[in-house]
Amino acid sequence: MNNSTACLANAAVCQGDSCVLPESNFNYILSVIMSIILTILLALVMFSMGCNVEIKKFLGHIKRPWGICVGFLCQFGIMPLMGFILSVAFNILPIQAVVVLIMGCCPGGTSSNILAYWADGDMDLSISMTTCSTLLALGMMPLCLFIYTKMWTDTGTIIIPYDSIGTSLVALVVPVSIGMFVNHKWPKKAKVILKVGSIAGIFLIVLVAVVGGILYQGSWAINPKLWIIGTIFPVAGYSLGFLLARIAGQSWQRCRTVALETGMQNTQLCSTIVQLSFTPEQLQHMFTFPLIYSIFQLVIAAILLGLYVVYKKYYRKNHEEFPESKDNETVSESSLYKMNGGFQPDEK
């Protein structure tokens, strides 16, 4: 009698002393809660990014869009193509190739603005590129995914949830637009919101790593190829972005800015889209890649920033010893700007 009572208290179906325990729905509940929290935090991060945009300066870059055009080619030309090449070269699973491509199609993250500041970059261009790429991702991400996943979707290997991805992207436009309006009306309050959003961005990355580790415990036991891709991908973004900007005749200051905007992707957005768009079975193979990319893009950026600081100190030392080099540099730099009215020299 006591055994039957104990069973009734802990089971859904009992026949005599034999009971069947109900399936635990803990993971499902945690997944729903995580999706809601991710969406809220990402909206806050994007809202704070909008608070960092000055409408007048943003419109100024739109009117003289050469720098933004170069950034656009890097963001939605180089990165998706590089993601496709790496996926095919390393012969990873189609579902893993999808997350690599989603990462490559993501707009620049707010971290790029911070790093651009420390690298003496063009801050107005950096913020404008981040904003434009976020807005343009609404159409460019689905387009790039359609083009580069065609070899897998045509064979029926994978199905891209364009509706879920599109919904996630549309939802981002609203907080960014509101943030721009807030910065226009109340610039002092916008600065406070920006700090809160930066903290929320860090918390978002930690939350994704911790909760994702609980929900998808087997996701960290992934193919080592994804770790290699996660290392090569940001290096390719930084270097090719810098190279293309220089070929386009941009100043060194803008080259550094475009490089950071190209390689520094919005990993929070990628994690959220993946979480909201794919099944738990698919997430086991793809969930950790945004975290891997996030780690290596920061590590590599820190190394590049350290090298730049060393170079700057060495350059200043030589500059003090040979002051005439300044005049020579000014002449060589200014010749680039005379070639195109959209070029602007670095502010000294």
Side-chain angles (χ1 to χ4, degrees), residues 202-218:
I202 298 173
F203 180 73
L204 181 59
I205 295 175
V206 175
L207 178 68
V208 169
V210 173
V211 180
I214 297 174
L215 283 174
Y216 317 109
Q217 296 179 8

Side-chain angles (χ1 to χ4, degrees), residues 130-264:
T130 301
T131 306
C132 286
S133 63
T134 300
L135 299 176
L136 292 171
L138 184 62
M140 292 306 301
M141 181 181 287
L143 177 61
C144 290
L145 287 176
F146 175 77
I147 294 172
Y148 289 110
T149 61
K150 200 168 181 59
M151 64 178 291
W152 297 297
T153 55
D154 285 349
T155 59
T157 307
I158 55 174
I159 299 176
I160 307 298
Y162 290 107
D163 52 347
S164 300
I165 294 174
T167 302
S168 302
L169 291 171
V170 170
L172 295 181
V173 176
V174 177
V176 171
S177 302
I178 296 175
M180 293 173 66
F181 176 77
V182 169
N183 189 32
H184 178 67
K185 287 290 186 179
W186 306 283
K188 292 183 179 180
K189 293 182 179 180
K191 292 181 180 179
V192 177
I193 295 173
L194 180 61
K195 292 180 181 179
V196 174
S198 301
I199 297 173
I202 298 173
F203 180 73
L204 181 59
I205 295 175
V206 175
L207 178 68
V208 169
V210 173
V211 180
I214 297 174
L215 283 174
Y216 317 109
Q217 296 179 8
S219 60
W220 286 103
I222 58 174
N223 194 319
K225 293 178 181 179
L226 281 184
W227 288 91
I228 299 174
I229 293 174
T231 307
I232 297 175
F233 207 177
V235 172
Y238 292 133
S239 55
L240 293 177
F242 186 93
L243 180 62
L244 181 59
R246 195 57 190 166
I247 291 174
Q250 297 290 280
S251 65
W252 293 111
Q253 183 189 35
R254 288 192 167 194
C255 287
R256 294 192 297 269
T257 305
V258 172
L260 290 171
E261 287 294 329
T262 304
M264 186 67 65

Side-chain angles (χ1 to χ4, degrees), residues 24 39-40 43 54 71 87 91 115-116 222 230 236 260 288 291-292 308 335:
S24 173
T39 304
I40 294 173
E54 294 185 25
S87 299
N91 194 28
L115 289 171
I222 58 174
L260 290 171
T288 50
L291 303 177
I292 293 171
Y308 172 71
S335 62

Side-chain angles (χ1 to χ4, degrees), residues 34 95-96 99-100 103 205 208-227 229-230 267 270-271 274-275 280 282-296:
M34 182 181 180
I95 193 63
Q96 293 173 333
V99 71
V100 173
M103 178 60 72
I205 295 175
V208 169
V210 173
V211 180
I214 297 174
L215 283 174
Y216 317 109
Q217 296 179 8
S219 60
W220 286 103
I222 58 174
N223 194 319
K225 293 178 181 179
L226 281 184
W227 288 91
I229 293 174
T267 55
C270 183
S271 297
V274 168
Q275 170 69 23
Q282 292 172 322
L283 288 171
Q284 291 284 349
H285 300 286
M286 61 194 304
F287 186 78
T288 50
F289 182 76
L291 303 177
I292 293 171
Y293 189 97
S294 178
I295 293 170
F296 284 108

Side-chain angles (χ1 to χ4, degrees), residues 10-23:
N10 296 284
V13 180
C14 288
Q15 293 181 350
D17 292 340
S18 177
C19 300
V20 178
L21 291 174
E23 294 184 3

